[in-house]
Amino acid sequence: MATFLYKIGRLAFRRRWYTALIWVLLLGLAGAGAATASKSTDDSFSIPGTEAQHAFDLLAERYPGQQADAASARVVFRAPDGQKITDARNKAAVEKTVRELAGPQVAMAPSPFVARTVGKDGTTAYTTVTYKVKSTDLTDATRDRLDEARKHGQDTGLSVEMGGSALQKMPETGNTEIIGIIVSALVLVITFGSLVAAGLPLLTAIIGVGVGVSSIAALASTLGLSGNTSTLAMMIGLAVGIDYALFIVSRYRAELAEGRGREEAAGRAVGTAGSAVVFAGLTVVIALAGLAVVNIPMLTKMGLAAAGTVVIAVLIALTLIPALLGFAGGKVLARKDRKAPQDVQGQGVQGQGVQGRRDGKPNMGTRWARFVLRRPVMVLLAGVIGLGALAAPAASLQLGLPDDGSQPVKTTQRKAYDLIADGFGPGFNGPLMVVVDAKDAKDPKKATQTVAKEVGGMGDVAAVTPPMPNKSGDTALFNVVPESKPSSERTEDLVHAIRDKGSSLKAETGATVLVTGTTAMNIDVSQKLDDALLPYLALVVGLAFLLLIVVFRSVLVPLKAALGFLLSVVAALGAVVAVFQWGWLGSLFGVEETGPIMSMMPIFMVGVVFGLAMDYEVFLVTRMREAFVHGERPGEAIVTGFRHGARVVGAAAVIMISVFAGFIGSSEPMIKMIGFGLAVAVFFDAFIVRMAIVPAVLALLGKAAWWLPGWLDKALPNVDVEGEGLRKRQAPASASASADEDRDPEPAGV
């Protein structure tokens, strides 16, 4: 593989104008597709194989003309202090506001006084506006009508707030995302000492994300992608795009330092560091594409879209980076290296490769590696115990999906949620929908009434609405209002209790009882994700383990890598629980409401963090493997790996942390939680697991770390990640050879 990538790197360097033009054209085509594509996205949930989904499908079949996933908005009215909403003036203001809600896309907007949705104390009322289309298909005029009606209602002195799917918009990440990119730029400048070298990873990452996100936008309507898909693809694509480019640019500078010409250096950088990029990218793609095993279409599409963005990042690193290095010339080096004579420059930085710094003193990576080699047991215990303590809160993990109760307190959705809870009870924010399939019942009407009566008498039930049969009379549905809020364990227990009771009711009445609705759907999603976590772990970790055996030609190194990942991801989950569920340091991260952790968080974190953790494993340990293969003792190989890779891996981790931390400023709780979780997970994995636990374990294992059974060694393909094939090539080292190579072989003006 190293030889093949070496040829690609040299070709891209020589044909840099064509290579750059191809990527510019791809970016332009993707941008044009995004600009002309339909803006409609699919934010609906579909969870095949669950009772909630089965009930939704049944409703679509038995209630034709009614769209189960149609948008809705709950408009809540609160009278001024000391007044009733039923007072003549306030009642007239409410009815006028409701009339203003009507429009071409509105199916129903009943008056609260007709629908009898007035609180017992007479101060609060609400109406539910039902639309004919999904929230993503609502026009700007329809959304504006909601805002105008709210303002008109407030002008009369009423408190008017709104919630529901009709108010869903694309999440805002805030200024912290820009701050994250700025931090990345500063880290790159400090690492390279050159603005040009620092700008290359940022430029190529932005191009890669531009191609990926624009392609997602262009295909969103066709493939039914959700609004969050592009946000998550941008988060992952930006982070890995910078990192992959960083490693290749760093290797290119190291090759120049050894006296090689620019084209040869570009080829060798892509052949060696590029091989690590390919395998690191493969682990990320495996982890993201593996989300398909959960069998939740939205999650599958998010994973595949992000995986596609990672593939683009890898391709750009292998082709566009060497092309841009050709344009950059000597400016990719630090100013002090550019001023040094060529022969001294090569010798001086060769010294840097051996001793770690130009002045002959070992660099920080070398000093740290030697410290770990002297005290491996102490470092190992400190890392494991520290991460174990951070992982402790994960034992209290509670899963759920965010609702309007988790929105910031200043939003109208949160205010509407609180008004409903105060005026009607917390359960009114998440009513359950019970569907009675009485097609096989002898007396469908009586069966439905029996079911409604039995459910209404259950504990933790605040109210039951009258059953609403369909035209044929073989199906009915009614709402059950719990006494507890939607995200509480008591509400979850109630859902399971109704379903359990449905078995005895079917034997008694012949009718099938199904529980659905947003709250029940969230519970089913959480259960499905929980059940899929172990199979997903087995699939992703198993495939990546096999891949790493091929890369490292060792059994214990991949095993150590997988166990270290599990430790870091559980510690990160513990931190997420402490902040978002317990509220520790919540104000620091903008967490205004604690509650259950998003159901997708554990499995999504496992997928993304595993791929990123293997990035650092591959980049750091391949240099150790390379040194060991070429004759160094195990301890020396560890020091060599840290001498060449610690600074770059550390910079890459800081960049990735800053990119993920930028999404903590998002207005969407799910994006905020994912950004925080990924940022702390990368910190734990890069600086505690890879930088401390990994060298400690390798030091204790010695030569055994690189053991591989003979029969397996013969069976595995030789992918030559270490670049052994390149070492056999005659490398031009003289200044004259460098000058010959540096001549642009293309005619002027190409």
Side-chain angles (χ1 to χ4, degrees):
M1 173 178 286
T3 303
F4 173 72
L5 294 178
Y6 165 82
K7 294 177 181 179
I8 289 179
R10 293 195 62 169
L11 178 64
F13 185 94
R14 289 196 308 271
R15 306 300 181 190
R16 43 188 173 273
W17 283 104
Y18 296 118
T19 304
L21 180 61
I22 289 172
W23 281 110
V24 169
L25 289 175
L26 288 175
L27 179 61
L29 289 174
T36 57
S38 170
K39 303 302 179 184
S40 176
T41 57
D42 184 7
D43 293 292
S44 60
F45 260 125
S46 176
I47 43 175
T50 62
E51 180 173 315
Q53 186 64 49
H54 176 55
F56 268 125
D57 295 340
L58 185 67
L59 289 175
E61 177 187 344
R62 303 285 176 85
Y63 288 81
Q66 297 187 20
Q67 191 170 347
D69 58 350
S72 64
R74 177 178 283 183
V75 185
V76 187
F77 304 90
R78 182 72 174 264
D81 293 341
Q83 299 181 25
K84 300 286 187 180
I85 201 72
T86 52
D87 293 345
R89 182 173 178 275
N90 293 332
K91 182 177 181 180
V94 169
E95 291 181 333
K96 181 181 178 182
T97 302
V98 172
R99 288 195 296 271
E100 291 177 350
L101 293 170
Q105 292 186 308
V106 175
M108 184 185 303
S111 166
F113 309 104
V114 175
R116 298 181 180 180
T117 51
V118 179
K120 292 182 180 180
D121 61 1
T123 63
T124 310
Y126 73 88
T127 182
T128 301
V129 184
T130 306
Y131 295 88
K132 301 175 183 178
V133 297
K134 298 184 297 184
S135 62
T136 52
D137 295 329
L138 292 176
T139 63
D140 292 338
T142 300
R143 296 182 189 275
D144 292 342
R145 190 173 287 108
L146 274 172
D147 293 335
E148 292 170 1
R150 177 175 172 242
K151 292 177 182 177
H152 291 168
Q154 290 175 337
D155 290 342
T156 65
L158 298 176
S159 295
V160 183
E161 306 296 344
M162 300 179 176
S165 60
L167 276 70
Q168 289 180 353
K169 296 180 180 179
M170 288 296 295
E172 300 176 357
T173 57
N175 295 327
T176 51
E177 180 190 351
I178 300 175
I179 295 174
I181 296 177
I182 294 174
V183 171
S184 302
L186 291 175
V187 172
L188 288 169
V189 171
I190 294 171
T191 302
F192 288 132
S194 164
L195 290 175
V196 173
L200 289 182
L202 287 174
L203 175 62
T204 54
I206 291 172
I207 292 174
V209 168
V211 174
V213 172
S214 297
S215 299
I216 291 171
L219 299 173
S221 179
T222 303
L223 301 181
L225 303 178
S226 70
N228 287 328
T229 301
S230 59
T231 303
L232 296 173
M234 178 173 61
M235 181 191 300
I236 304 301
L238 191 61
V240 300
I242 294 174
D243 277 7
Y244 294 166
L246 169 63
F247 285 104
I248 291 181
V249 173
S250 298
R251 190 60 182 253
Y252 172 76
R253 284 158 52 102
E255 296 293 336
L256 285 180
E258 294 182 6
R260 294 190 175 89
R262 289 168 50 209
E263 182 179 325
E264 179 70 14
R268 286 176 175 269
V270 175
T272 53
S275 297
V277 165
V278 169
F279 282 99
L282 278 175
T283 59
V284 180
V285 169
I286 288 172
L288 291 171
L291 292 170
V293 303
V294 184
N295 196 26
I296 295 180
M298 188 187 79
L299 189 59
T300 299
K301 293 173 184 177
M302 288 168 61
L304 292 176
T309 307
V310 172
V311 171
I312 292 172
V314 171
L315 293 176
I316 281 184
L318 299 178
T319 57
L320 186 56
I321 281 291
L324 294 181
L325 288 173
F327 290 118
K331 294 180 181 179
V332 76
L333 296 173
R335 187 178 298 274
K336 58 185 178 182
D337 293 332
R338 277 180 264 162
K339 292 180 179 179
Q342 182 67 32
D343 56 342
V344 176
Q345 185 183 58
Q347 293 296 326
V349 189
Q350 276 184 342
Q352 181 179 356
V354 176
Q355 300 296 334
R357 288 183 0 185
R358 187 179 298 277
D359 56 11
K361 296 180 180 179
N363 62 16
M364 184 178 294
T366 301
R367 296 196 301 271
W368 171 252
R370 290 173 178 170
F371 172 80
V372 175
L373 287 174
R374 290 195 301 268
R375 298 176 177 84
V377 176
M378 183 192 74
V379 173
L380 178 60
L381 290 178
V384 172
I385 293 173
L387 289 180
L390 291 168
S396 302
L397 178 68
Q398 295 179 3
L399 298 179
L401 285 179
D403 54 21
D404 286 347
S406 61
Q407 293 288 336
V409 294
K410 295 181 180 179
T411 61
T412 186
Q413 295 97 320
R414 174 62 183 276
K415 292 177 180 178
Y417 182 95
D418 292 339
L419 287 176
I420 288 291
D422 293 341
F424 296 88
F428 277 79
N429 280 304
L432 306 175
M433 185 184 297
V434 177
V435 180
V436 182
D437 181 5
K439 193 171 185 178
D440 297 330
K442 294 181 180 180
D443 189 341
K445 184 177 181 180
K446 183 178 179 181
T448 300
Q449 292 174 344
T450 300
V451 171
K453 182 179 179 181
E454 290 291 330
V455 172
M458 297 178 67
D460 207 29
V461 173
V464 173
T465 63
M468 184 179 72
N470 64 346
K471 289 184 179 180
S472 59
D474 59 0
T475 308
L477 63 89
F478 59 89
N479 289 332
V480 177
V481 180
E483 291 182 352
S484 306
K485 63 180 181 179
S487 59
S488 69
E489 291 185 15
R490 292 178 60 190
T491 300
E492 182 177 350
D493 293 340
L494 176 61
V495 171
H496 293 311
I498 295 175
R499 288 173 173 172
D500 292 340
K501 196 171 189 64
S503 300
S504 59
L505 287 172
K506 183 174 184 178
E508 178 184 348
T509 65
T512 301
V513 180
L514 303 171
V515 184
T516 189
T518 302
T519 302
M521 183 76 79
N522 291 349
I523 292 171
D524 286 353
V525 168
S526 298
Q527 185 63 50
K528 191 177 183 69
L529 289 167
D530 198 28
D531 293 342
L533 183 58
L534 287 180
Y536 173 71
L537 264 176
L539 174 67
V540 172
V541 176
L543 288 176
F545 179 78
L546 295 175
L547 183 64
L548 292 179
I549 288 179
V550 175
V551 174
F552 297 124
R553 307 196 77 80
S554 163
V555 174
L556 296 180
V557 170
L559 180 62
K560 170 265 309 169
L563 294 177
F565 151 73
L566 292 175
L567 186 59
S568 61
V569 79
V570 174
L573 280 176
V576 170
V577 169
V579 173
F580 290 88
Q581 187 174 309
W582 293 357
W584 292 4
L585 301 177
S587 59
L588 180 64
F589 298 103
V591 180
E592 299 180 359
E593 182 71 19
T594 60
I597 303 304
M598 184 188 64
S599 301
M600 293 184 183
M601 189 66 189
I603 200 163
F604 188 80
M605 181 180 286
V606 165
V608 175
V609 175
F610 180 78
L612 301 180
M614 295 306 103
D615 281 1
Y616 300 123
E617 181 76 14
V618 170
F619 289 133
L620 190 60
V621 181
T622 48
R623 291 305 292 261
M624 301 179 192
R625 168 74 182 174
E626 184 177 344
F628 179 77
V629 167
H630 295 126
E632 293 189 10
R633 295 193 302 272
E636 293 175 340
I638 294 173
V639 174
T640 299
F642 270 80
R643 178 187 303 128
H644 292 292
R647 185 181 183 186
V648 179
V649 169
V654 171
I655 289 169
M656 197 167 285
I657 291 168
S658 64
V659 170
F660 288 146
F663 289 85
I664 297 176
S666 174
S667 61
E668 176 63 41
M670 180 180 74
I671 301 298
K672 180 190 293 289
M673 190 180 297
I674 288 177
F676 173 83
L678 293 181
V680 298
V682 170
F683 175 80
F684 294 156
D685 195 89
F687 292 106
I688 300 180
V689 173
R690 307 303 153 190
M691 293 288 193
I693 294 178
V694 165
V697 171
L698 291 177
L700 293 173
L701 289 175
K703 287 186 177 181
W706 308 107
W707 171 78
L708 185 69
W711 62 269
L712 185 57
D713 186 33
K714 295 178 181 179
L716 293 177
N718 184 10
V719 295
D720 188 21
V721 177
E722 298 85 12
E724 182 63 26
L726 297 181
R727 285 183 172 266
K728 298 177 182 179
R729 300 178 62 91
Q730 181 67 31
S734 64
S736 59
S738 298
D740 289 340
E741 279 192 335
D742 288 349
R743 285 187 295 106
D744 190 343
E746 298 175 9
V750 176

